[in-house]
């Protein structure tokens, strides 16, 4: 079975402070990991995926297979980063394209 | 731009009513999904479909059924709505192929069962 854990329901930081949203997963094979974001009154959208090794809006995430983690990081938080963030996993079962999501972390960036 | 449209944004239904939630996507995607989103629980998969008339149960299918008669349309059905089905329902789609493909979400349908 695959499982995604986001231990923090709420993370509150001040503008300019570093941000780290934690994500741990459980999966016996080789997973694909994603971060999705939902801004207020907007639909859920992809932020980044580990296979791309990209930085989006200043956010990065590195897959650590030893620690089974995929933490989302940003060195300097901005107020517009305030949103709900979900970590998600896709398993190797090619018949199933559905993602397994964590419970989400709400990021509040205060001025 | 990929568009996933959920026709009903806000619904209020009575306990025991049959409820239909409709979802349409315009990008010829093979895979479509229904999730429910609850605070503290994240998104949980109800059902998904990888082709017309094909469906598979997700993690929480009890109390729900689905219909996929056309490729672009995926309907979620609550046969007899109950108060514990009050939630935000999200439809999503993605093309066939690599599992790293982006999944596109609709805006969601807020369902309240009274």
């Amino acid at each position: 079975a695959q499982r995604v854990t986001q231990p923090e329901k709420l993370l509150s930081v001040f503008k300019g402070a570093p941000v780290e949203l934690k994500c741990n997963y459980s999966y016996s094979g080789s997973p694909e990991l994603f971060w999705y974001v939902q801004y207020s009154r907007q639909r859920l959208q992809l932020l980044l995926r580990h296979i791309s090794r990209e930085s989006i809006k200043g956010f990065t995430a590195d897959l650590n297979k030893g620690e089974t983690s995929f933490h989302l990081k940003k060195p300097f938080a901005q107020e517009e980063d305030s949103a709900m963030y979900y970590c998600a996993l896709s398993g190797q079962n090619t018949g199933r394209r559905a993602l397994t999501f964590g419970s989400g972390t709400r990021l509040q960036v205060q001025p | 731009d990929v568009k996933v449209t959920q026709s009903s944004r806000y619904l209020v239904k009575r306990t025991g009513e049959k409820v239909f939630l409709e979802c349409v996507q315009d990008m010829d995607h093979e895979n479509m999904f229904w999730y429910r989103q609850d605070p503290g629980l994240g998104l949980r998969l109800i059902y998904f479909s990888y082709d017309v008339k094909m469906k598979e149960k997700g993690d929480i299918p009890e109390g729900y059924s689905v219909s996929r008669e056309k490729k672009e349309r995926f309907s979620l059905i609550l046969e007899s709505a109950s108060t514990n089905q009050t939630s935000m329902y999200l439809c999503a789609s993605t093309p066939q192929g690599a599992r790293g493909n982006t999944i596109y979400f609709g805006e969601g349908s807020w369902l309240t069962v009274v």
Side-chain angles (χ1 to χ4, degrees), chain A residues 3 5-7 22 27 40 43 45 86 97 110-111:
Chain A
R3 187 180 179 92
T5 302
Q6 293 179 251
K22 297 191 187 311
Y27 185 67
S40 180
R43 65 184 71 198
Q45 57 187 291
Y86 292 96
R97 297 286 174 227
Q110 301 181 52

Coordinates of all heavy atoms in Angstrom, one line a residue, chain A residues 3 5-7 22 27 40 43 45 86 97 110-111:
Chain A
R3 N 1.3 5.4 0.9 CA 0.8 6.3 1.9 C 1.7 7.5 1.9 O 2.9 7.5 1.7 CB 0.9 5.7 3.3 CG 0.3 6.5 4.4 CD 0.4 5.7 5.7 NE -0.2 6.5 6.8 CZ -1.4 6.4 7.2 NH1 -2.2 5.5 6.6 NH2 -1.9 7.1 8.2
T5 N 2.4 11.1 4.2 CA 2.2 11.8 5.4 C 2.7 13.2 5.4 O 3.9 13.4 5.1 CB 2.9 11.0 6.6 OG1 2.4 9.6 6.6 CG2 2.6 11.6 7.9
Q6 N 1.9 14.1 5.8 CA 2.3 15.5 6.0 C 2.0 15.8 7.4 O 0.8 16.0 7.8 CB 1.5 16.4 5.1 CG 1.8 16.2 3.6 CD 1.1 17.2 2.7 OE1 0.2 16.7 2.0 NE2 1.4 18.4 2.7
P7 N 3.0 15.9 8.3 CA 2.8 15.9 9.7 C 2.2 17.3 10.2 O 1.6 17.3 11.3 CB 4.2 15.7 10.3 CG 5.1 16.1 9.2 CD 4.4 15.8 7.9
K22 N 7.0 19.5 5.2 CA 7.5 18.2 5.3 C 6.5 17.2 4.6 O 5.3 17.3 4.7 CB 7.7 17.8 6.7 CG 8.8 18.6 7.5 CD 9.1 18.0 8.8 CE 10.1 18.8 9.6 NZ 11.2 19.3 8.8
Y27 N 6.2 3.5 0.3 CA 5.9 2.8 -0.9 C 7.1 1.8 -1.2 O 8.2 2.2 -1.1 CB 5.8 3.8 -2.1 CG 5.4 3.1 -3.4 CD1 4.2 2.6 -3.6 CD2 6.3 3.1 -4.5 CE1 3.8 2.0 -4.8 CE2 6.0 2.5 -5.6 CZ 4.7 1.9 -5.8 OH 4.3 1.3 -7.0
S40 N -6.3 30.4 -2.5 CA -7.7 30.7 -2.1 C -8.5 30.9 -3.3 O -8.2 31.6 -4.2 CB -7.7 32.0 -1.2 OG -9.0 32.3 -0.9
R43 N -8.5 26.4 -8.2 CA -8.4 25.0 -8.3 C -7.0 24.5 -7.9 O -6.0 25.2 -8.0 CB -8.8 24.5 -9.7 CG -7.9 24.9 -10.8 CD -8.6 24.4 -12.1 NE -9.7 25.2 -12.5 CZ -10.6 24.8 -13.4 NH1 -10.5 23.6 -14.0 NH2 -11.6 25.6 -13.7
Q45 N -3.6 22.8 -8.3 CA -2.7 22.8 -9.5 C -1.4 22.2 -9.1 O -0.9 22.3 -8.0 CB -2.6 24.2 -10.1 CG -2.1 25.2 -9.1 CD -2.1 26.6 -9.7 OE1 -1.4 26.9 -10.6 NE2 -3.0 27.4 -9.2
Y86 N -0.3 20.2 -0.9 CA -0.5 18.8 -0.8 C 0.7 18.0 -1.5 O 1.1 18.3 -2.6 CB -1.7 18.3 -1.5 CG -3.0 18.8 -0.9 CD1 -3.7 19.9 -1.3 CD2 -3.6 18.0 0.2 CE1 -4.8 20.3 -0.7 CE2 -4.8 18.4 0.8 CZ -5.4 19.6 0.3 OH -6.6 20.0 0.9
R97 N -3.4 5.5 -12.6 CA -2.7 6.7 -12.7 C -3.1 7.7 -11.6 O -2.6 8.8 -11.6 CB -3.1 7.4 -14.1 CG -2.6 6.6 -15.3 CD -1.2 6.8 -15.5 NE -0.7 5.9 -16.6 CZ 0.3 5.1 -16.5 NH1 1.0 5.0 -15.4 NH2 0.6 4.3 -17.6
Q110 N 3.0 35.6 7.0 CA 2.5 36.9 7.6 C 3.5 38.0 7.2 O 4.7 37.8 7.1 CB 2.5 36.7 9.1 CG 1.6 35.6 9.6 CD 1.5 35.5 11.1 OE1 1.3 36.5 11.8 NE2 1.7 34.3 11.6
P111 N 2.9 39.2 7.1 CA 3.7 40.4 6.7 C 4.7 40.8 7.7 O 4.6 40.5 8.9 CB 2.7 41.5 6.4 CG 1.5 41.1 7.2 CD 1.5 39.6 7.3

